[in-house]
Amino acid sequence: MATAKAKAKKILVIVESPSKAKTIGKFLGSRYKVIASVGHVRDLPKSKLGIDVDNDFEPQYISIRGKGDIIKELKKEAKNASKVYLATDPDREGEAISWHLAFLLGIDQDTPCRIVFNEITSKAIKEAIKHPRPIDINLVDAQQARRVLDRLVGYQISPLLWRKVRRGLSAGRVQSAALKIICDRENEIKNFKPEEYWIINADFKKDKIFTAKLAEHQGKKFSIDNKEQNDAILAELKKNPYIVSSLDEKDRMRKAPAPFTTSSMQQDAANKVNFSTRKTMMVAQQLYEGIEIKGHGTIGLVSYIRTDSVRISDEAKAQAREYILKKMGEDYYSDNVYKNRKGDVQDAHEAIRPSHIELDPEEIKDSLSKDQYKLYKLIWNRFLASQMAPARFKAVNAGISNGDYLFKATGSKLVFDGFLRVYQQTKDGEENKLLPHLDKGEQLDLIKVEGVQNFTQPPARFTEASLVKDLEDKDIGRPSTYAPIVATLMDRKYVTKDKKSLVPTDLGFIVIDMMQHYFKEIVDTGFTAQMEENLDDIEAKGVRWKSVIEDFYGDFKKELDVAEEEIQKVEFEVELTGETCEKCGKPMAVKHGRFGAFAACTGYPECKNTKPIVQSVDVKCPKCGKDIVMRRSKRGRVFYGCSGYPDCTQSYWNKPVDKKCPKCGSLLVEKKTKEHKYACSNSECDYKE
């Protein structure tokens, strides 16, 4: 009887998220029970530092508040299970969660209790179950080192900023280095001095009009620095004919890009579908954990989404080859191999790829949300392109002489589209810039030649995409940290967004100036990158993690003591709103709180009157005639609503203008595209202008 009862016990599989548990549970069947820990169950306490710096930096882990019922349920299920498998994410963070779970559930970490998989498919899950392994303590230690390091920095500098600058601020090892990069770029822009230069172009006609650019004088490159030089050269050019002096035709290939890493996915999503890094990771997580697909059930659509690797498994390559040969033919396939920028530490995972290449984005579009479809299509196309043949071009370079001057014209014709069939890297039409047929020695008919004045431009501000690329290039942070870095800088009001550009605020400059003066290493990109290498060495070489912390903490503690002693309280100039308090008559001032700026009476604490700051857009509400003002939703998104709220609920997502639609009479709103500037606010009206 006891034996029969033991056989009836199920095998318990623990993952992080309920949606992941639901997907995996369908693959494993009735012998298994899959439940979720809902993220971390054990962590450093929020109320204090939680690290015993005098006892070899021993972390003081506690069960996370609010997780009591979940932990109780996990213990109950583990006790009743015949075996427990820890199936958290296949990275440092996931390994640490499994380690904490093993501690709470009394599982020996040296037994084969850990299973890992790169994608949530039936085959991958069942294969992982066959090959459990012990918990990888090197992975755990690398995560512990990062957690302790970030806690020491954040929990000891942030309170200093609260006391000396403003409540609610924070500093961080990676966050502060990223802020310095943004502030440094802004200083470059402010200090930039434009320099004048001229470009001379000539338009010729032979079958079609084409343009050549002045490139050399007496066989050397040169610059035209002012109008006088420009006019003198134009006068000389009138003396001689334009002769085709050289023709160079050659075949050119453009190779397919590597499949996505986390960084390149975030950059592509920002540039092509206008996703923030935070949104990209949120949607990617949904695709990874599993979505109900008509005719297929709940399945994970993409492989693990936090990776630095461009490696592809042999099985995935074989599936891509079969698909390309079947759908496009042998000419389109190429056995491409991609190398990672760094060594084996970051090669634990594959690149981001579709779990089922046969699930074409168009065929499953109806099962996906709009955002899921956009990102899945990007991932699917990029992976398929990575296994395809190069695009081939016929390139023509023509040299056109005029006395001692040489103009150059280039043309390109797409001969074979290759990977461009599924993945466009340039705007449509840029692949074919044809020159007419030219013969060496022939004289060309000039239509016009003119000089155009230009000025050198300052470097561009960072966007989320370009910041992520810069952080990756400088080896700052890791795939899992890129999105939170940008989000934190925005949340702390260190950075604002101007369209897509990241602009540091005055507060951002105040904080980074203070950090640079007192905590040079924390904001130094070289130091931050070296620390990432040290963390990698813990994982790859088994370096003792506490020694890494010890090496860092000695100098850091000295800097903390100096900063505490020397930094003076920052006094911000009072910014008045121009209004008076309706309760006591004193001026109202701008104050900053957890949820942004608000107006507060300067008579505080005697008068505690506060109210939201509203910004009028000089448009009257069509319903009640009151002003329409700019507001923010609970998630921080800007919208425009009637100042008479809640009595009047008229609102717009786009900024309204004081102009009515000639078709239906509704207000027009700003909705800029290449073709239009305004659109009707009435969703049932298609008027644009």
Side-chain angles (χ1 to χ4, degrees):
M1 190 75 175
T3 307
K5 190 175 181 182
K7 285 183 179 177
K9 286 188 173 184
K10 293 187 177 184
I11 298 171
L12 183 66
V13 178
I14 303 176
V15 298
E16 287 114 320
S17 76
S19 58
K20 198 170 166 185
K22 181 182 173 185
T23 307
I24 293 172
K26 290 182 178 180
F27 296 146
L28 291 178
S30 59
R31 285 185 57 228
Y32 294 82
K33 181 161 189 177
V34 187
I35 60 175
S37 68
V38 194
H40 280 274
V41 289
R42 202 163 160 257
D43 197 5
L44 298 172
K46 285 187 175 181
S47 58
K48 60 180 182 178
L49 183 63
I51 299 161
D52 190 345
V53 294
D54 298 321
N55 184 25
D56 204 17
F57 303 98
E58 187 64 28
Q60 298 168 338
Y61 294 117
I62 61 168
S63 296
I64 294 173
R65 183 177 295 178
K67 286 291 186 79
D69 289 343
I70 291 172
I71 293 171
K72 188 176 178 181
E73 180 69 15
L74 289 169
K75 287 182 176 180
K76 176 187 166 188
E77 294 294 344
K79 186 178 179 181
N80 293 329
S82 61
K83 190 178 292 183
V84 180
Y85 287 129
L86 305 172
T88 50
D89 283 346
D91 57 11
R92 292 172 185 170
E93 205 70 26
E95 203 73 17
I97 293 174
S98 282
W99 181 69
H100 287 299
L101 283 167
F103 174 85
L104 287 174
L105 303 179
I107 299 170
D108 184 350
Q109 67 184 43
D110 295 323
T111 60
C113 59
R114 176 85 166 106
I115 61 171
V116 290
F117 37 84
N118 194 54
E119 57 189 350
I120 302 176
T121 63
S122 178
K123 184 177 180 181
I125 303 301
K126 290 173 181 176
E127 193 64 27
I129 290 282
K130 292 177 186 175
H131 301 96
R133 62 162 173 78
I135 287 173
D136 186 337
I137 199 62
N138 286 353
L139 269 176
V140 174
D141 285 350
Q143 189 275 344
Q144 285 198 97
R146 178 186 291 280
R147 187 78 183 94
V148 168
L149 193 61
D150 290 344
R151 174 59 69 101
L152 289 170
V153 172
Y155 265 53
Q156 295 190 86
I157 298 181
S158 297
L160 188 68
L161 294 176
W162 282 45
R163 292 192 298 274
K164 305 291 187 178
V165 185
R166 179 187 292 165
R167 285 181 64 82
L169 303 184
S170 69
R173 186 178 55 86
V174 179
Q175 172 203 137
S176 299
L179 178 59
K180 183 177 185 297
I181 289 171
I182 296 171
C183 290
D184 285 350
R185 176 62 58 87
E186 194 69 16
N187 284 328
E188 281 184 67
I189 295 168
K190 287 178 181 176
N191 297 328
F192 182 81
K193 291 182 173 55
E195 295 181 4
E196 181 182 7
Y197 70 99
W198 289 69
I199 293 174
I200 294 179
N201 290 320
D203 289 348
F204 303 100
K205 185 171 184 180
K206 185 188 178 184
D207 303 329
K208 60 180 283 189
I209 295 173
F210 69 99
T211 301
K213 178 182 175 181
L214 181 58
E216 295 179 9
H217 179 244
Q218 294 180 343
K220 295 179 181 179
K221 292 181 180 180
F222 72 110
S223 61
I224 306 170
D225 301 325
N226 51 55
K227 189 175 187 302
E228 290 71 24
Q229 290 180 15
N230 175 76
D231 292 346
I233 292 170
L234 289 176
E236 286 189 57
L237 292 173
K238 291 179 181 178
K239 301 174 185 177
N240 301 296
Y242 292 86
I243 307 295
V244 178
S245 55
S246 65
L247 284 171
D248 180 22
E249 290 190 17
K250 57 184 177 182
D251 294 325
R252 186 169 59 85
M253 287 199 312
R254 184 187 300 169
K255 291 184 178 180
F260 280 142
T261 60
T262 304
S263 166
S264 57
M265 176 181 70
Q266 290 173 346
Q267 293 169 52
D268 222 34
N271 293 327
K272 291 185 175 175
V273 294
N274 203 27
F275 282 8
S276 67
T277 51
R278 189 190 302 199
K279 182 175 182 177
T280 298
M281 296 311 291
M282 180 188 73
V283 177
Q285 188 73 24
Q286 295 165 3
L287 296 174
Y288 168 65
E289 290 188 349
I291 292 170
E292 183 77 30
I293 303 295
K294 293 173 186 174
H296 297 275
T298 303
I299 52 175
L301 289 175
V302 301
S303 60
Y304 191 55
I305 57 170
R306 294 176 182 86
T307 176
D308 282 348
S309 176
V310 292
R311 180 179 63 80
I312 293 295
S313 70
D314 292 339
E315 182 182 1
K317 286 178 71 71
Q319 290 173 356
R321 180 178 185 275
E322 183 181 346
Y323 186 92
I324 293 166
L325 294 179
K326 181 180 177 182
K327 299 283 186 178
M328 292 175 252
E330 195 170 342
D331 288 346
Y332 280 91
Y333 175 71
S334 179
D335 185 19
N336 299 327
V337 177
Y338 301 95
K339 291 185 178 180
N340 295 315
R341 290 192 315 125
K342 290 176 284 193
D344 294 337
V345 166
Q346 299 304 316
D347 196 34
H349 318 302
E350 291 184 61
I352 301 171
R353 59 168 176 79
S355 302
H356 305 272
I357 192 66
E358 70 276 8
L359 294 182
D360 185 298
E362 305 307 320
E363 292 177 9
I364 64 170
K365 187 175 182 179
D366 291 345
S367 298
L368 304 177
S369 71
K370 189 176 178 182
D371 290 339
Q372 289 168 349
Y373 165 74
K374 286 179 180 178
L375 189 59
Y376 179 64
K377 186 176 181 181
L378 268 186
I379 294 169
W380 191 90
N381 285 352
R382 176 79 169 228
F383 170 68
L384 196 65
S386 75
Q387 304 303 301
M388 291 176 68
R392 297 199 302 272
F393 299 85
K394 182 73 74 175
V396 179
N397 296 309
I400 301 165
S401 296
N402 179 302
D404 289 336
Y405 293 95
L406 179 70
F407 287 76
K408 289 186 178 179
T410 60
S412 180
K413 180 181 180 181
L414 181 63
V415 178
F416 175 66
D417 56 0
F419 77 92
L420 292 174
R421 179 167 171 174
V422 299
Y423 182 81
Q424 291 292 326
Q425 288 183 301
T426 56
K427 294 177 182 176
D428 292 341
E430 288 186 2
E431 309 299 351
N432 287 302
K433 290 184 178 179
L434 301 176
L435 291 179
H437 175 76
L438 300 173
D439 293 312
K440 191 173 179 180
E442 73 173 299
Q443 182 173 331
L444 296 174
D445 292 331
L446 178 71
I447 297 175
K448 66 175 181 179
V449 59
E450 61 181 2
V452 179
Q453 184 187 38
N454 292 273
F455 291 91
T456 53
Q457 296 297 309
R461 283 176 171 143
F462 284 105
T463 62
E464 285 196 39
S466 61
L467 178 63
V468 166
K469 185 177 188 308
D470 199 65
L471 291 172
E472 185 183 38
D473 290 344
K474 290 183 168 72
D475 204 16
I476 296 172
R478 283 293 175 259
S480 59
T481 63
Y482 297 138
I485 288 168
V486 177
T488 301
L489 293 176
M490 300 280 289
D491 291 344
R492 298 291 181 268
K493 313 299 182 197
Y494 295 158
V495 171
T496 60
K497 258 191 181 181
D498 179 10
K499 295 179 181 175
K500 284 189 174 185
S501 298
L502 299 174
V503 185
T505 62
D506 289 343
L507 180 61
F509 274 112
I510 288 170
V511 169
I512 208 63
D513 286 347
M514 190 178 290
M515 293 288 293
Q516 283 185 109
H517 187 77
Y518 291 100
F519 302 100
K520 289 186 176 68
E521 283 191 333
I522 299 297
V523 297
D524 179 66
T525 54
F527 171 80
T528 308
Q530 180 58 52
M531 190 56 73
E532 293 293 349
E533 276 192 39
N534 294 343
L535 295 174
D536 288 347
D537 287 344
I538 296 168
E539 178 182 334
K541 301 174 183 177
V543 171
R544 182 174 173 271
W545 74 266
K546 289 182 178 179
S547 65
V548 173
I549 304 298
E550 188 178 353
D551 290 343
F552 161 78
Y553 193 71
D555 290 338
F556 176 65
K557 182 65 171 68
K558 292 174 186 175
E559 291 173 341
L560 268 175
D561 294 340
V562 170
E564 186 67 60
E565 184 70 28
E566 294 185 1
I567 297 177
Q568 300 298 309
K569 172 75 176 171
V570 176
E571 297 295 339
F572 289 93
E573 186 178 336
V574 177
E575 182 184 350
L576 299 178
T577 65
E579 301 173 286
T580 55
C581 175
E582 59 268 29
K583 291 186 177 180
C584 71
K586 290 186 178 179
M588 298 290 282
V590 177
K591 297 290 181 181
H592 297 270
R594 184 179 173 189
F595 300 105
F598 62 95
C601 181
T602 54
Y604 181 86
E606 289 78 15
C607 180
K608 298 179 181 179
N609 185 31
T610 63
K611 59 183 181 180
I613 293 175
V614 293
Q615 182 179 332
S616 175
V617 293
D618 296 324
V619 177
K620 299 296 182 183
C621 174
K623 282 188 178 180
C624 69
K626 292 184 178 179
D627 285 341
I628 291 177
V629 296
M630 186 176 78
R631 299 183 183 276
R632 285 189 182 272
S633 68
K634 288 182 179 178
R635 293 191 173 185
R637 183 177 175 186
V638 170
F639 72 98
Y640 302 87
C642 180
S643 58
Y645 180 85
D647 297 326
C648 180
T649 57
Q650 181 66 43
S651 63
Y652 306 88
W653 282 118
N654 297 95
K655 184 179 180 181
V657 294
D658 195 15
K659 191 174 181 181
K660 290 187 176 180
C661 172
K663 285 181 73 173
C664 73
S666 300
L667 283 180
L668 295 184
V669 295
E670 290 185 0
K671 209 165 185 178
K672 295 178 183 178
T673 65
K674 289 181 180 178
E675 295 83 19
H676 307 100
K677 187 175 181 181
Y678 304 108
C680 182
S681 60
N682 180 0
S683 59
E684 296 179 2
C685 178
D686 60 358
Y687 179 76
K688 295 174 183 176
E689 68 173 49

